[in-house]
């Protein structure tokens, strides 16, 4: 039943257990329409189970309607990598209704690029996209400084807008927690959005 160093995924929900309180807390944070509801940041040490709790705990709960309307949300995921805008383009195109051939130019087009693209991908104003950004620290380890600044500015704009269709869940290694705080537009979001990963005894079942 254990996956060693590999994260649990949504196909492992029946084998993922012991994190019910954390999943419930995350679901509660995604209710409503405050800044803390539109963006949740899960911070914890490497190997503490951040990815697993999102993939095998939170996402399946939302698909079952844990938040009103969440059963109808479009769910997609990305890892920033060397080009976070390309990674986000691929993630949005996977769930886009009548997808365009490309979103990259619009995503890079100023601080409202992410918000405009998220809206463009949906057919109705009341539809929502749950975007999971796993390994958020890659913005600071693999992406260029210019892309990091631009991406954080655009993501901040997208989740600050009360009418945004995006609900964002981020996993971030604890030793990189200070890096997004250095970005003026994103510091307030980190403060409102962070959910610390409770400390537990090391266990293969919680490793990412």
């Amino acid at each position: 039943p254990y996956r060693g160093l590999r994260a649990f995924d949504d196909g492992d929900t029946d084998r993922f257990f012991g994190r019910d309180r954390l999943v419930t807390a995350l679901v509660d944070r995604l209710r409503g329409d405050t800044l803390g509801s539109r963006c949740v940041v899960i911070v914890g040490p490497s190997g503490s189970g951040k990815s697993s709790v999102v993939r095998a705990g939170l996402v399946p709960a939302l698909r079952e309607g844990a938040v009103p309307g969440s059963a109808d949300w479009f769910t997609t995921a990305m890892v920033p990598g060397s080009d976070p805008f390309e990674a986000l383009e691929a993630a949005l195109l996977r769930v886009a209704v009548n997808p365009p051939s490309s979103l990259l130019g619009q995503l890079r087009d100023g601080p409202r690029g992410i918000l405009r693209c998220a809206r463009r991908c949906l057919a109705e104003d009341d539809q929502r996209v749950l975007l999971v950004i796993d390994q958020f620290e890659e913005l600071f380890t693999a992406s260029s400084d210019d892309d990091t600044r631009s991406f954080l500015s655009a993501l901040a704009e997208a989740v600050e807008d009360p009418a945004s269709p995006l609900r964002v869940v981020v996993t971030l290694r604890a030793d990189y927690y200070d890096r997004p705080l250095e970005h003026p537009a994103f510091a307030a979001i980190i403060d409102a959005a962070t959910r610390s990963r409770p400390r537990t005894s090391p266990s293969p079942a919680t490793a990412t």
Side-chain angles (χ1 to χ4, degrees), residues 70-95:
S70 65
D72 297 321
W73 291 0
F74 296 93
T75 301
T76 191
M78 60 168 282
V79 175
S82 60
D83 190 329
F85 288 103
E86 283 191 354
L88 179 56
E89 178 192 39
L92 290 177
L93 288 176
R94 284 196 293 270
V95 297

Side-chain angles (χ1 to χ4, degrees), residues 33-112:
D33 200 24
T34 65
L35 179 56
S37 300
R38 293 189 294 275
C39 183
V40 176
V41 180
I42 304 171
V43 180
S46 177
S48 63
K50 303 180 297 298
S51 299
S52 294
V53 80
V54 173
R55 298 179 192 176
L58 178 61
V59 169
L62 293 173
R63 285 177 177 161
E64 292 177 0
V67 171
S70 65
D72 297 321
W73 291 0
F74 296 93
T75 301
T76 191
M78 60 168 282
V79 175
S82 60
D83 190 329
F85 288 103
E86 283 191 354
L88 179 56
E89 178 192 39
L92 290 177
L93 288 176
R94 284 196 293 270
V95 297
V97 179
N98 298 319
S101 59
S102 174
L103 289 171
L104 191 57
Q106 190 170 6
L107 283 170
R108 292 185 179 277
D109 187 18
R112 293 184 69 82

